[in-house]
Each structure stands twice: as structure tokens, then as C-alpha cells.
Amino acid sequence: MSGMLLRLVCTAALAAGTVLTPLPAAAAPEPGGGAAAAGGRSVPELLTDLQTLYREAEKATERYNATEEALDEQRATTERLEKALARTRLSLHDSKGAAGRLARQQYQSLSGLSPYVRLLLARDPQRALEQGHVIGQLARERAHTVGRLTGDTKQAEELARRARKALDARIALTERRGKERDQVVERLRDVEELLASLTREQLADLAELERSRVDEAQRELVASGALSGANAPSAAGERAVRYAVEQLGKPYEWGAEGPETYDCSGLTSEAWRAAGAEVPRTSQEQWARLERIDLVDLRPGDLVVYFHDATHVALYLGDGMVVQAPRPGARIKVSPVAANPVLGAVRPDPGGEPLGQYVPPELPEGATDGADEGYGAVYAPAAPETSAR
């Protein structure tokens, strides 16, 4: 935990050109105490400020993730309409060609006798009747050609209207995504500025206070009897757990879905995709659309959702622990289930039968190292995107 915060502040300080100068020993606050810290704030106040900034960033990030998902769907809609419009325009071109041939035939027949007159004057009535049948068939084909031309014209106009509307929606989503990305970047800059203003002693005190609060929350949750360690995962849940464990130690990046970097919901959605189940991309949609379960029924592979607005999610490992992508500067790690305020839990495969025998995956060394508290998918984007793609 302390090492992660130090890495964050050093990164922020280097980016801002800030030189960290420790305060005099008398000014260094005690963990959780009320001694004055940066700007006259106590360590608990600093921790609250830091958590608030992360929370604001994560909210902006979840909005970004949701918009990105909507944009992907809109791209697919636009491409489908454009392909349908291209096919209809090709059919319309063929219909216009057939209509042109029909018009020429009609023009050429104006100088001749009416087919009814030819029938009356014919020496061979049977042959004339056969010709009349052919003429009738041609008339029906002409009517079909005219009808096809009219239908293709209307369909092309309607598809063109829908394609324009879909493109406008795509452009609007792209612009909104850019604004939401900028909001995340701004919040992360606020985090960097706060961290860069602190001394190493203050950072150590923050880490200790944060860790003690997590430990206390975990003890209270376990003592409440809300957790059970006896539940085995389903076959798909076991695959999701093993996938998540294989990602331990990888950095997370905002909006990332692997395979080298992840955000919180990117990790959980990809773990279950690897297990053969499609789950929503964002933590909020996972909470809204997956089946909810009581914490006492948690089994490995289930998803634990955090904060009142469902802006963080982790994958339950068992024995009161989760695998999560915590927050900026951190790597995927194993944390206590109470590392954040728990909103509830959901199960991606409610119909999955628990395994008769289950051996948990072996965790690598250092799986629990680093920050315990996660604040959602808050990663600075690598580069701005300006096109509607």
C-alpha cells in the first residue's frame, strides 16, 4: 500500500517538476491523528480528500466506459445501415435500368397496332390468343418492374434517413466520450497535485490509516457472519477465477479489457468471457443486469460490487478475498472483500451447479501486495481521439 502511494506521488512529482521536501519532524502527523498536514489538514482529512478525488474520477470513468460501449453499438448500427443502403441502391439501379427498358418498349409499340386490334384481324385466332397471353405476361412483368422501382426508391430514402440519424448519434457519442475522457484526466490531475504536495512521512501515515481502516472493515464483516467460506464455484466460476488469478500483477489502464492491462470491470467481464459467459462491460450494468445474491451465498467467481452507485467491482476468490484492479498506479491484486464499501454481489451463472471438489488456484508471491482500496476504472487515456471512427 505504502509503496504504491509512493510510486504515485513520485510519478506525479516528476510530471509536475515538484521536489518533495519532508516537513520538520514536529509537523509530521500521526496516523489517524488530528495533527496538521498539508494545507492545515489532518491525515484523516487528507485521506478523505484523496478518496473523494478518486471517487469523482471513477464516476467519470464509468460514464466514459458506458459511452464507449454505446458507441461500439452505434458503430455496428451505422455500418449495418450503410451496407443495407448500398444493397438497396444497387437494387434501385437495376430497377431503374429495367424501367428504362420498359419505357423504350412502350415507345416502340406506339407506332404499331393495338394487341386487341391485332387479335380481331388475325387469320389464326389460336395464334393470336397465344400472342395475347405473352402480351399479358409482359404487362404483368412491367407492373412488377414499376412496383419494384417504387419500393426500392422508398426503401432507399428511408435507409438514407436512418443512416444519417445513426451517424449523427455516433458523432454525438464521440463528442460526449471526449468530454468524459477530459473529466477523468482533470480528476486524475487533482489526485496527482494532492499526492505531489505530501511528504513521504505524510504518505506513510496515509497508507497506515487506510490499511487500518480496511482491516477493521474486514474484521467487522467476518464477525457479522455475512461471509461463508464453504461454497464451491461452478465449473464456469472456476475458469473465471483461474483467469483472474493469471492476471495478477498486471497494471491496469482505464478502459482496458486486456490482455496486458485492465480496468476493474474489464477484468471481471473478460474473466467471465474466458469462462464462456458474456457479462455487461461496466460495473453498473453488471450490478443492474446480473442476478443478485446474498453475501453469505458468495462462491468463487461471483462478482462483488462496491459503493452506492456501483462504480467498482471485483471477482470473489473465496475465504473473504477478492481479485481486483484497484486504482491508478496499482496492479491487479488479491484484497479483502471489505477493501471498499460493499454494495452487494451478483452471479453471472445462477444456473451453474457447484463443483463436487474444488482446489483453489495457487497464488503467486506478492499477490496481496499493494493498495487494498479500489476506486474504479480511473486511468489516464494514452492519447485523445477526435474521429467518429
Side-chain angles (χ1 to χ4, degrees), residues 213-236:
R213 287 183 176 179
V214 170
D215 291 343
E216 181 181 0
Q218 184 73 1
R219 285 193 300 270
E220 291 178 355
L221 183 61
V222 172
S224 71
L227 294 178
S228 171
N231 299 325
S234 64

Side-chain angles (χ1 to χ4, degrees), residues 35 42 49 70 181 190 202 229 236-237 250 319 333 337 387:
S42 67
D49 290 345
R181 181 193 59 240
D190 293 339
Q202 290 168 342
K250 292 184 178 181
D319 293 328
K333 68 180 297 288
V337 71
S387 68

